[in-house]
Amino acid sequence: MAEIILEAAGIRKEFGGLIALNNVDFGVRRGSITAVIGPNGAGKTTLINVMTGVTPPTAGAIALNGLTISGLKSHDIARLGIARTFQTAQVFGTMTVLENVMVGRHTKTGCGMIASALSLGRMRREEKAIGDKALYYLDMVGLGDLAQQPAASVPIGTQRLLEIGRALAAEPSVMLLDEPAAGLNTQETRALGQLIGTIRDRGITVIIVEHDMELVMDIADEILVLNFGSRLAWGTPEQIQANPQVIEVYLGRDE
Amino acid sequence: MSLLSQIIQFLFTGLTIGSIYAMVGLGFNIIYNATGIINFAQGEFVMLGGMVMVWLTTAFNLPLPAGFLLSVLIVTCIGAAFERLAIFPLKKPPVLILIIITLAGSIIFKGAAMLLWGKQTYSLPHFSGEEPLHLLGATILPQALWIIGILMAVVALLAFFFNFTIPGKAMRACSVNPVAASLVGINVKRIVLLSFAMSAGIGAAAGIAFTPIVLMEFDRGALLGLKGFCAAVLGGLGNGTGAVIAGLLIGVLESFGAGFISSEYKDAIALGVLLIVLLVRPSGLMGSREAARLKEF
Amino acid sequence: MAFRRHLPIMLFGCAAAVLPLALKDPYYLGILVFIGIFSIATMGLNLLMGYAGQISLGHAAFYALGAYATGILTAKYNVHFLPALAAAIIVTAGIAYVIGMACLRLKGHYLAVATLAAGEIVFICLNASVGFTGGPSGLAGIPSIEIGGFSFDSDFKFYYLVWAVFILLFILTANIINSRTGRALRCLHSSEVAAAAMGINVTTLKVQIFVLSAVYAALAGVLYGHSVTFISPQASDLMFSVKLLTMIVVGGMGHLWGGVLGAALLTLLPEALSAFHDYELIIYGSILLVIVMFLPGGLMRGFETLYVTILKKVRGRG
């Protein structure tokens, strides 16, 4: 198994005339937590969208385990083992919390419409397995008690956890978290940090886009700093904190 | 008739009916730009224009110019009332709900017209006689020139409105960014109201001009609306110039199709064009692809 | 588990089975047949609109296509009913597949207009191909349904056929909704991007459900054609699509019983109001507008909310 699980080479993304990502390179180590930081509009979410096939890159390539995934459709990339959460939580509001996590099992199961309609034994066994796994992951994110609540009715912070549970249920090899701490209080953020640690300990590589520097410096193994779509710096939290360019971007302009 | 005169004949018929589609398409665009709504009741405004005009001129013996202005005014008010009663009270409704609301509106207008005027077809006298003009063997009704003229007047008025008046500029600002527009003090709700009133008025003018040639009845609106929508989409949704050109183009296509291929399938031509455009290039012929992608549907 | 889920429909089936024995007037039997037929059509449309959140304003076209397909085959070519039915399903599914592939990349307003246009094209074609369909005057003389020598030639027999088909489809549909596929379907309603991120092939699923709901409409159309022995292009016009949509909106989008409730109410309404015909359009439009504006979840959800509120009040007191 290679050391690098996800590799991006020369990623460029243009919207009309606007350059959102400019020649971004990086390699994410297997089993690490990599944080992507940068000022608003630096292209962080665009990077996640490009990695998950929501929008194809204008140029450049992304490889998962050495296999090129850029240009594939979202659902194919999900099938290859990348799960994600969204900056503005996108839970399936008309369904229960448990059902949301059950959706996470989609790529790991296979009963189609006909098997479902006829309620074949195969389908019932699979449903049972999906339900059990979903409950397991729901407990892991601490939402077991809310299983039967409609997803739209739980608070935003809870919806973020639910999204993580849903992504976990897919048992991905890489998980992308887009600002999971937004709107959480200090205590919740600390719990989130622990949860992300647990996820990493299960062997899942985590890439996290986050504004909360305390959280990032606390959990990240490596940090990618973006500024105006370009890679500004890459390194360990200590290196990043000591990097004069990063300090200028984050502190210098406020003065 | 020689082929040349036939072609000129079809061309003029096409431009006449195309002018109507263009005006309906403009109506779609005005509301769409101000609100992001596709108003399924747009065609009904055309029908109402014709029917109200018939009613005013027969029941009250109003002369043509007065009837025309009053009819347009009445339908404009109907459009405004519809917005106030059905669109205004809702806060951020989802697209599915908006579609159903304007669809419901169209059915109510249609039903009301049927109740008031029954199921029979009505005609109007031509604006300036029925003595046809002759051009290279083709016969052209003066009414056709009226229709094309009204389209040109509408286009000129709209150009003036959007470029030289405060509400017009405000409406353009809203279409670019409603949040920013409201931040600089534009009353977005009033702009929405204005957009419904204006497109109802334009629809009514089209309906009045059209009735002398094709007659009018309560259930004409839906198909006219659909074809006007074809024009709006083909021209690039939200693009006024595009809608006019596309409307004329569809009218001409339809007229040639009916003349040279089959008149029974005439109505399917515009719809087929619509489907093809939606599939191949949803941004239309003149819309920008990037802009279309950024819009929420 | 599965048994408990299906308990309401089982009870409903028992009630439906004894109802005709209690009805003296065959007139009401005819109405119940129509309610059953519309319930089947709305069930399909509800899957598409209520659960998957994709609007269709052209479903009447599939209803008409189903009716015409078996009608033409049995009346003009003396084909047996079952092969004709198979042909009708295949033809409708095929056409729905083509329309679905074309339209379902579109969303919201665009999808609504595209399906409307597709439906309108079917309407125009049914009117224009006089030699085949009988044109605007319609196709008459559709024979009764005959399966294995048994002929459903009375309202009484037809009633049982229609409601048996309904109950069967209801169980299959409920199974789908509560399955992996059904959950994927309901995801589309909230967020297509999130659905795709969970590995759901959004386009394929949308086309699948579009075809399935078209087949439901076609089945309803087949039953309708053989029940009234006549079909005209009117059945495929926009107004009928709107009626189906109204039934779902009134009963409750995304609620399986909602479609049935809506179908029953809007079929009984014209019977209750003698002057209905003149006011039909206004009434349909007003009902649609009022429900969507003030009770967007439909009556079924309204009842549920009411029930919960009352329950809370009673408990609060006790």
Side-chain angles (χ1 to χ4, degrees), chain C residues 124-144:
Chain C
I124 291 167
C125 292
L126 289 176
N127 267 309
S129 48
V130 178
F132 204 50
T133 63
S137 50
L139 178 77
I142 302 175
S144 304

Side-chain angles (χ1 to χ4, degrees), chain C residues 246-266:
Chain C
T246 310
M247 288 173 185
I248 298 174
V249 170
V250 167
M253 281 193 277
H255 202 301
L256 267 189
W257 288 103
V260 186
L261 180 68
L265 286 179
L266 290 176

Side-chain angles (χ1 to χ4, degrees), chain B residues 158-225:
Chain B
L158 282 180
F160 177 79
F161 174 77
F162 281 121
N163 288 311
F164 298 106
T165 68
I166 298 292
K169 287 179 183 173
M171 198 180 265
R172 270 170 53 199
C174 277
S175 75
V176 177
N177 188 339
V179 180
S182 71
L183 285 178
V184 298
I186 294 171
N187 185 338
V188 177
K189 288 278 183 189
R190 198 169 293 162
I191 294 292
V192 172
L193 176 68
L194 185 63
S195 74
F196 269 84
M198 277 171 60
S199 54
I202 294 173
I208 299 166
F210 201 35
T211 305
I213 297 189
V214 293
L215 311 180
M216 195 49 79
E217 60 193 315
F218 78 102
D219 65 353
R220 272 290 166 79
L223 199 57
L224 281 171

Side-chain angles (χ1 to χ4, degrees), chain B residues 82-184:
Chain B
F82 175 56
E83 194 277 336
R84 276 293 116 144
L85 294 175
I87 310 281
F88 180 74
L90 300 174
K91 294 183 177 48
K92 294 202 104 190
V95 174
L96 194 66
I97 299 289
L98 280 173
I99 294 173
I100 295 175
I101 284 179
T102 60
L103 191 68
S106 81
I107 295 163
I108 293 174
F109 292 141
K110 196 200 276 188
M114 193 188 96
L115 266 187
L116 289 171
W117 299 298
K119 288 187 174 176
Q120 61 267 52
T121 48
Y122 292 91
S123 76
L124 274 175
H126 289 233
F127 288 6
S128 55
E130 296 178 40
E131 189 64 38
L133 311 166
H134 295 276
L135 182 77
L136 295 172
T139 54
I140 296 156
L141 287 169
Q143 190 67 23
L145 299 179
W146 273 107
I147 291 176
I148 297 170
I150 287 176
L151 170 68
M152 294 198 303
V154 166
V155 170
L157 281 174
L158 282 180
F160 177 79
F161 174 77
F162 281 121
N163 288 311
F164 298 106
T165 68
I166 298 292
K169 287 179 183 173
M171 198 180 265
R172 270 170 53 199
C174 277
S175 75
V176 177
N177 188 339
V179 180
S182 71
L183 285 178
V184 298

Side-chain angles (χ1 to χ4, degrees), chain B residues 36-38 40 82 85-87 89-90 95-101 103-105 107-108 110-112 114-115 119 218 222-223 226 229 233 237 264-265 267-268 271-272 274-275 278-280 282 297, chain C residues 49 53-55 57 101-103 105-110 112-118 120-121 124-125 128-130 189 238-239 242 245 249 253 277-279 281-282 284-286 288-289 292-293 296:
Chain B
I37 296 174
I38 301 294
F40 279 82
F82 175 56
L85 294 175
I87 310 281
L90 300 174
V95 174
L96 194 66
I97 299 289
L98 280 173
I99 294 173
I100 295 175
I101 284 179
L103 191 68
I107 295 163
I108 293 174
K110 196 200 276 188
M114 193 188 96
L115 266 187
K119 288 187 174 176
F218 78 102
L223 199 57
L226 198 53
F229 183 77
V233 169
L237 207 52
E264 277 152 348
Y265 290 97
D267 290 332
L271 303 178
L274 172 70
L275 282 183
L278 283 177
L279 303 178
V280 180
F297 287 101
Chain C
M49 259 184 59
Q54 310 298 314
I55 196 166
L57 296 179
M101 282 301 273
C103 296
R105 290 187 310 162
L106 307 166
K107 288 181 196 165
H109 285 116
Y110 273 166
V113 180
T115 50
L116 199 164
E120 201 70 14
I121 289 177
I124 291 167
C125 292
S129 48
V130 178
H189 204 296
L238 173 62
M239 192 53 210
V242 172
L245 185 143
V249 170
M253 281 193 277
H277 197 67
D278 290 338
Y279 298 90
L281 290 169
I282 287 210
Y284 267 103
S286 308
L288 199 54
L289 193 67
V292 153
M293 287 182 70

